Amino acid sequence: MTDQIKNYKIAVVIPYYNADGHIAKVVDKLPDFVFKIYLIDDCSSQSITLQSLGKVNNVEKIKLITNTKNLGVGGASKAGFLMAIEDKMDFVVKVDADDQMDSNYIKDLINPLIQSQAEYAKGNRFRDFNALKQMPFIRKLGNLILSFLTKAATGYWNNFDPTNGFFAVKVDVLKMLDFKNISDRYYFETSLISELYFQNARIKDIAMPAIYGDEQSNMKVWKMPFVFFPKLCKTFYKRLLKTYFLYDFSMSSIYLLLGLPLFVFGVVYGLYNWWFYASHSILAPTGTIMLVTLSIILGFQLLLQAIHYDILRAPKAD
């Protein structure tokens, strides 16, 4: 496996922001087969130089990029991706600077790409129960809810833990993406996956434990539902519009065109009639009840068929 890896140019992108207590360890633990390391200083107040890393492994492979303004984790990562494309790398691995990611798993992320089993491989912290117990409860609950919503929004129904920032991707796939559609901030991983969907890129989940130390996250957990939910709704709407009405027109398109209006009509018309007849203390006509019931049932069944088709359509890794 290692001999095969050495035949490829593998780059590691590390977005750096106020993590001077961890960055040297992160660089030092990267495997020897890594060809290039793009360290992006995202206008951090704890600025970094190659000299400040001290005597660590792989320092000679580092290309330091210093942003003149803070772009966020996504913006910094995209800067590294662009350098990898320019330097004609084969694969890119994104690693955070806070030492939460075990570099020993890099070869596991790269292997499915080399074997053409997938175009994108990422960590999944929900496969190891013992390791999962180490994850803080609020983060665990948030990830479970967010993962389901992201499945629906991005179309990757077979993958879990979509916000995991430890991933590897083929550079040839990165070349086909429109980076303007990929978020610069905390929605970065989700927006990246949503763009991969339109390239029919397969995603492979790699089981790995979560690591939590004394690092302080810059993410405000309580803000995340307000940040992610509107963006997920927008991603969901854009995906359906592009997939089933702009790029293609299939039976699922018909299911959506018929099912959604019927279901909405049944619910709205039913609520209106319930309020109207209840407020007048009279029984609703049988025909009205049947119309509402049939509209809801038929609309719901058509929407279920559309969801089923969407799940079957999801790109699957070998």
Side-chain angles (χ1 to χ4, degrees), residues 261-275 292 295-296:
L262 277 172
F263 183 76
V264 172
F265 168 78
V267 171
V268 173
Y269 188 64
L271 288 174
Y272 168 76
N273 279 280
W274 172 82
W275 167 82
V292 169
S295 296
I296 292 176

Side-chain angles (χ1 to χ4, degrees), residues 251-271:
M251 281 303 301
S252 189
S253 308
I254 297 174
Y255 294 150
L256 288 170
L257 283 175
L258 295 178
L260 187 59
L262 277 172
F263 183 76
V264 172
F265 168 78
V267 171
V268 173
Y269 188 64
L271 288 174

Side-chain angles (χ1 to χ4, degrees), residues 92-108:
V92 171
V93 182
K94 186 255 183 182
V95 176
D96 287 342
D98 55 11
D99 200 27
Q100 284 191 7
M101 298 168 178
D102 188 345
S103 297
N104 291 321
Y105 284 92
I106 289 180
K107 61 183 179 181
D108 296 315

Side-chain angles (χ1 to χ4, degrees), residues 92-165:
V92 171
V93 182
K94 186 255 183 182
V95 176
D96 287 342
D98 55 11
D99 200 27
Q100 284 191 7
M101 298 168 178
D102 188 345
S103 297
N104 291 321
Y105 284 92
I106 289 180
K107 61 183 179 181
D108 296 315
L109 292 172
I110 293 294
N111 185 44
L113 310 187
I114 293 177
Q115 301 298 328
S116 296
Q117 297 174 350
E119 287 71 48
Y120 182 98
K122 65 174 187 62
N124 185 345
R125 296 162 291 183
F126 290 83
R127 292 282 183 88
D128 188 333
F129 181 75
N130 291 325
L132 187 60
K133 290 190 294 186
Q134 301 175 21
M135 184 182 292
F137 174 77
I138 188 65
R139 188 174 293 193
K140 189 188 307 180
L141 178 62
N143 271 287
L144 286 169
I145 297 172
L146 186 60
S147 290
F148 176 77
L149 294 176
T150 303
K151 284 171 179 277
T154 63
Y156 282 102
W157 292 95
N158 303 303
N159 300 103
F160 204 60
D161 197 13
T163 58
N164 196 311

Side-chain angles (χ1 to χ4, degrees), residues 91-306:
F91 307 114
V92 171
V93 182
K94 186 255 183 182
V95 176
D96 287 342
D98 55 11
D99 200 27
Q100 284 191 7
M101 298 168 178
D102 188 345
S103 297
N104 291 321
Y105 284 92
I106 289 180
K107 61 183 179 181
D108 296 315
L109 292 172
I110 293 294
N111 185 44
L113 310 187
I114 293 177
Q115 301 298 328
S116 296
Q117 297 174 350
E119 287 71 48
Y120 182 98
K122 65 174 187 62
N124 185 345
R125 296 162 291 183
F126 290 83
R127 292 282 183 88
D128 188 333
F129 181 75
N130 291 325
L132 187 60
K133 290 190 294 186
Q134 301 175 21
M135 184 182 292
F137 174 77
I138 188 65
R139 188 174 293 193
K140 189 188 307 180
L141 178 62
N143 271 287
L144 286 169
I145 297 172
L146 186 60
S147 290
F148 176 77
L149 294 176
T150 303
K151 284 171 179 277
T154 63
Y156 282 102
W157 292 95
N158 303 303
N159 300 103
F160 204 60
D161 197 13
T163 58
N164 196 311
F166 192 17
F167 62 79
V169 60
K170 289 184 176 181
V171 171
D172 286 343
V173 173
L174 287 178
K175 292 176 183 177
M176 296 186 290
L177 302 182
D178 185 351
F179 281 17
K180 293 179 182 178
N181 294 332
I182 301 175
S183 174
D184 288 341
R185 300 291 170 178
Y186 295 119
Y187 198 63
F188 165 64
E189 289 87 2
T190 305
S191 61
L192 174 60
I193 288 174
S194 69
E195 286 299 303
L196 290 172
Y197 181 85
F198 297 113
Q199 303 301 329
N200 203 34
R202 297 164 298 169
I203 298 179
K204 181 82 170 180
D205 280 358
I206 305 298
M208 59 182 63
I211 302 173
Y212 296 100
D214 59 356
E215 68 286 336
Q216 295 295 319
S217 174
N218 295 301
M219 180 177 65
K220 306 298 184 193
V221 176
W222 65 271
K223 288 185 178 180
M224 289 304 101
F226 303 99
V227 172
F228 276 87
F229 187 71
K231 291 181 180 293
L232 285 171
C233 290
K234 183 178 179 181
T235 298
F236 178 70
Y237 167 75
K238 288 176 63 177
R239 182 177 73 84
L240 291 187
L241 182 62
K242 289 182 179 180
T243 303
Y244 296 111
F245 299 103
L246 294 181
Y247 298 161
D248 193 12
F249 193 86
S250 61
M251 281 303 301
S252 189
S253 308
I254 297 174
Y255 294 150
L256 288 170
L257 283 175
L258 295 178
L260 187 59
L262 277 172
F263 183 76
V264 172
F265 168 78
V267 171
V268 173
Y269 188 64
L271 288 174
Y272 168 76
N273 279 280
W274 172 82
W275 167 82
F276 178 82
Y277 288 108
S279 64
H280 289 78
S281 300
I282 56 177
L283 295 175
T286 303
T288 300
I289 295 173
M290 290 299 297
L291 177 62
V292 169
T293 303
L294 286 174
S295 296
I296 292 176
I297 292 176
L298 183 57
F300 187 67
Q301 287 295 324
L302 289 171
L303 290 176
L304 283 180
Q305 287 294 325

